Structure formats: structure tokens, C-alpha cells
Amino acid sequence: MPKTIVGVMGVGEQATPQEIETAYQLGQQIAQAGWIVLSGGRNVGVMDAVSRGAKSCGGMTIGILPRVDSEMSSAIDIPIITDMGNARNNINVLSSHAIVACGMGAGTASEIALAIKAKKHVILMTDDREAQRFFRSLNPELVSIAETVENALNQLKVILATQK
Amino acid sequence: MPKTIVGVMGVGEQATPQEIETAYQLGQQIAQAGWIVLSGGRNVGVMDAVSRGAKSCGGMTIGILPRVDSEMSSAIDIPIITDMGNARNNINVLSSHAIVACGMGAGTASEIALAIKAKKHVILMTDDREAQRFFRSLNPELVSIAETVENALNQLKVILATQK
Amino acid sequence: MPKTIVGVMGVGEQATPQEIETAYQLGQQIAQAGWIVLSGGRNVGVMDAVSRGAKSCGGMTIGILPRVDSEMSSAIDIPIITDMGNARNNINVLSSHAIVACGMGAGTASEIALAIKAKKHVILMTDDREAQRFFRSLNPELVSIAETVENALNQLKVILATQK
Amino acid sequence: MPKTIVGVMGVGEQATPQEIETAYQLGQQIAQAGWIVLSGGRNVGVMDAVSRGAKSCGGMTIGILPRVDSEMSSAIDIPIITDMGNARNNINVLSSHAIVACGMGAGTASEIALAIKAKKHVILMTDDREAQRFFRSLNPELVSIAETVENALNQLKVILATQK
């Protein structure tokens, strides 16, 4: 039976220390819940931190890489090499049962929008009020906000239970 | 020498009569400026209207279609069949020298975000204040707002002149 | 009404002088027949030669480019930037009404195979007997052989007339 | 550390009972060697059989699916939803450390050609002499032939050891 996959999207090179810390803890909690972490797979920012967090708790990690020569996070178990740049963002969201967005930037925004288009639930972990208002206005049923990792996990449990 | 291509993105089935009218006029103006219109190519909403507008003024139109069996606008000269669903949105923006977004929805939002990621100029034609604030906050230099078709055309002229 | 598009696929950096010459003449003949030439768009080999040939006769050319920073043939009118490497080969064949393969190599072979999978006609212009036998064995109705540019054009006329 | 992934490509709906049996045994042997099986993920032919074989020996399976609504093999652990049809074939080969092709058809041929283009080793398990001759002629160093599952496994061991 296919495993439950949680996509964690977020800022790359520009991630703040707090976003890195949040992503790391998210990875730990997702792994402890028995779910697989899916990310953009590169060796920076949220993608790297969430994967390292998951591995620190014995979890499994998938990285959907943009290029053949992308520098991969050392914490990826299953690298999927797309070689299609940001068009891979659509694969990230389609392959995830639910998505957490950690921080905000143009790449992350594209993933949230593609997720809504694909009718996937997205949990926003950002204090960017403009982003919160905009994405909630696009679809208030699919987009929610979490202020803490614990709250994000509780929301994921509800969302994923509904899908079964 | 490659022709100048202006991407016009926007709402499909849910487009309002005013968005349709704006897109049609945009297509006319872009064609009269001697540029090619690129859109998502389907037979609905902004994609269809902008292509019909361009053809009504003797312009040329490219449609980047999501599926082999997508219903194509009758006003497309050059259909590019990607068969890759919304992952084609990245091709739409990469192949355009500048982008106009007409109306707002999840698909359009993904294209604007991918355009910003790719360092393309985007002109927003929407009265959605949350969208305006959010995308302007992502990158105020690449994202601008136009209230009229005439204003959008004037902005396109400046943007495209800078690229030469 | 959408224009008729003929895809010409073939060897890149390793093209022989004779393949370059054949591709150039093919481009001339396709343009004179009123069809658009579609190729991989790069500045080398068959893609470049067929586009230059078409332009020398006033034709129109589409280039489906693999990368944002691919060096483009100077004879491309409409560059479509996919940024998805060889996965673009599927777009090349889906967007063409018929395909001519000029020379042989791994990339060209992938396009011929994808074309057959998509039920597109392919005309082989190669003296590689193994390639001829193999692709004809995959589908003898969709794959034919042309020894001269004139013969290829005559075959294209029959194939494209049947599609109307 | 990323796991070792073996791609097994092959015929879908038209697979023969013997190809199904070979694929099933291949899946068993690959799982017993500790490697992950990657396939096209659908519920038919070689993709389904190799995944079922791997699961019967406690292995792990990845399925790179063409569509959101593709019918998935019940033996897939990690479905990657590309929604990009046969353009996903490039992802299949780029994400595999080595490839085994079981049976022959247009889709399989495109994967072998894309694999050679990407400098991946391909082991052919087919008695199609034309296919053997053609792909060996494209690149005799990357393409080899196996007549039995045991022989394919021995070749994989050599190929994968060289990559470390």
C-alpha cells in the first residue's frame, strides 16, 4: 500500500535560522508520525533541514531534484532526478498527500498555488500576512495557517485522516 | 531574429465578462504593436479571448496546451502540445519576454510566481488587492499594476525596450 | 486555423556535412510547401541547418529549447523555452504533424520512439540499416524511409493530406 | 545516503506471460540484493510484475506515474505523480542507477534511447534481434544483453559496483 507522503516546501538559500529550525522539527515530527517527507531535495534551506530532521528520527526522505547536477541534501534517501527546473514544482505537490509551506518566496508561492490548483491541502507556516491573506482568499478550505510545529502536526493528522 | 513574445495568463472557465473583454483588447493591442501573443491555448476564458483579439488585428498566436486532447482556441496559429498539465505553466513564462496576468486564480497565481522566480516582468490586471499586495511584496521591481489596457501597453513598451 | 508543423529531428554536434546539407535542403523544401519547421532549436547540427534552410526561403521556424541558457540557432523565429532537457523531446513530437529524422543518435532515437508511441508518422533519412530495420519493426505503418529530400517531401504531402 | 535504484522498464498492456514472469523474478532478485525497484508504476505488464516481485521479497518500490488518474500497481510504495505522460520516461532513467529493459515496444525504446543519452547502463532482456543490434550499435559500452534473470543480476552487480 502506498505510504503517506507529506510535502514540505520552502525557502532555499535565503532561509532564516528560524525557518531552518522549524523545518528541522517538522521533519522530526513527520517522521515520528510514520509519514515520508518529500522536498525539493537540494542541499540548502528548508529542503535540507526538513530532510535532516526526518533522518534524525529514522524517517524516510524523498527529494525531487531540479537538475542532474543539483547538489543534493545528504539526508535524502530517494532522489528523483527530474532535470526540469521549476516545472518539477508540480510533481512535488501532486506526489504529496498534504503540503506544509515553511517561509515564503517566489518558488514556494508557485508550489502553494499549484497545490491549490490540484486540490491539495496546504498549511502555511509563515508570518507573512500578505501571503496568508492572499492564499486564504484563493481557497479558504484548502489553505490553513499553523503558528507552531505542534499545531501543524495536529492539522496534518486531521487532513490525512480525512483522505483515507 | 526571434520575435517578441508577450505571455497573457489568466482565468479559464471562471473568467468574468469584463476579464474576457480586457483580454480581447489586450490581444488586439499586442498584435498592433507587432508582438506575438502566447497563452495557455485552451478554448476558454482569457486564453481564448486574448488569442481572438490578436487574430482580429492580424496578429500571431501561440498556445501552450496542457494535453494532447485539450480543446484548443480556434484563434491559435501555433499549438505547442506539452501533455504535461500545469507543469506547462513554467514553459509559458520562460518563453515570454514579459507577462500580463488578467484576473486571478490558483493557476494564474502559479504562473506569476514562476515568472518572478525566472526574473520576468509581470503586469497585473486585477482588482484583487490581496493579490496585488502579495506579488508586489515578493518583488516590487518585477511586478507592476495596470488599470487599463492602454496603461498595460505603455508598460510593456518600456519593459520590452529595456530588454533589447 | 493552426498551421501545419513539420518536426525535423536529428544529430546535434556530431552531424556530418551531408546530414547538414540534407537538413538545409529539407528546411528549404518544407518552407516552400508552406509548412512551419519545428526543431530542437539549438545552434548545432540538423536543428540549426533545417532552420537556416527554412529561413533562406522565407519560412517560419520554431525551436523547442532544452534550457534557459541553451545557445539558440540564429534562424529561430519562435523559441519555446522548456528548461526540461531531453524530456522536451516528447513536446517536439506531440507538436509536429509529421516528423523527419535526419541522421541517427540516442536523442534522435528517443524522438522517433516517442513519435511512434504518439501515433505520429516518421520519415527516416539515414543509411543506418539497423535503425531502419528496428523502427520499421516497431511500426511499419508509421515509419517509412526516404533516400532523397524530394522523396521525403512527396511522402510528407501524402501524410499531411491524410490528416486533414 | 541515497539508496541504490534499479529502473525496470518494459511492455505494458501487451506484455507476454513470459515477460511478466521474467519481470516478477527480476523484482524478487533486485529486492534480495537490497536495491529499490523503480518503474512506470501502472497496474499492467512489466511495471506491475516487477513491483509485485519486489514486494514479495520485502523490497521497496517506486512508481513514476504518467497521470494523476493513472491506475497504479497495488505493489507501489512510493508513487511519484508526474502528470506529464511519456515525458516522464526521462525522469525514469535519470533517477535509476542502471536500467533493465524487459520486452520491447515504442515506450520502452524511448526509455532505452533516453538512458543512453544520459550515459546510463541498459541491460536488454528481449529476444528482439533488431532491437539488440540497433541499441548495441548506438553505444556498445552502455548496452548489454542478458538471457536470464540470473545473468541480468550479475551484470547489475558489476555495473553498480563500478559507480561507487
Side-chain angles (χ1 to χ4, degrees), chain B residues 42 65-72 81 83, chain D residues 67:
Chain B
R42 293 196 298 122
L65 288 154
R67 292 280 166 242
V68 169
D69 57 2
S70 295
E71 282 197 51
M72 184 169 68
I81 318 282
D83 201 28
Chain D
R67 292 280 168 241

Side-chain angles (χ1 to χ4, degrees), chain B residues 66-68 82-87, chain D residues 66-68 82-87:
Chain B
R67 292 280 166 242
V68 169
T82 66
D83 201 28
M84 53 194 279
N86 291 309
Chain D
R67 292 280 168 241
V68 168
T82 66
D83 200 30
M84 52 195 281
N86 292 309

